Amino acid sequence: MSKSHEAGRGDSWEGVVVRLSRGMLDGANMYHFAEVRRADGESVKVRISRRLWKSLAVGDRIHKRPGADPAKG
């Protein structure tokens, strides 16, 4: 089973950042990730933009609304 790092455009979630990471998964592009602990206790790893990644710190709240990109707050 493959696990996607990118939430679907229609998904909605919110939670607290517990870890930030980045990596060159394909050897050419830098990808930025946040591990988010949702209110139900589940942790998910989501791909986020570089701009958002640079503005986040562990403990910050992050949310995603349907049709939108993840955002701080």
Side-chain angles (χ1 to χ4, degrees), residues 11-61:
D11 291 349
S12 176
W13 50 262
E14 64 180 73
V16 176
V17 175
V18 293
R19 182 170 180 248
L20 294 168
S21 61
R22 63 185 179 168
M24 294 181 71
L25 304 179
D26 60 6
N29 298 301
M30 182 67 71
Y31 295 95
H32 299 81
F33 302 98
E35 185 176 336
V36 179
R37 181 164 318 276
R38 300 187 325 194
D40 62 6
E42 182 181 348
S43 286
V44 292
K45 187 174 183 180
V46 294
R47 190 171 135 196
I48 58 176
S49 69
R50 178 179 183 263
R51 173 177 272 158
L52 178 59
W53 187 85
K54 289 183 79 160
S55 73
L56 289 173
V58 172
D60 286 347
R61 295 197 59 76

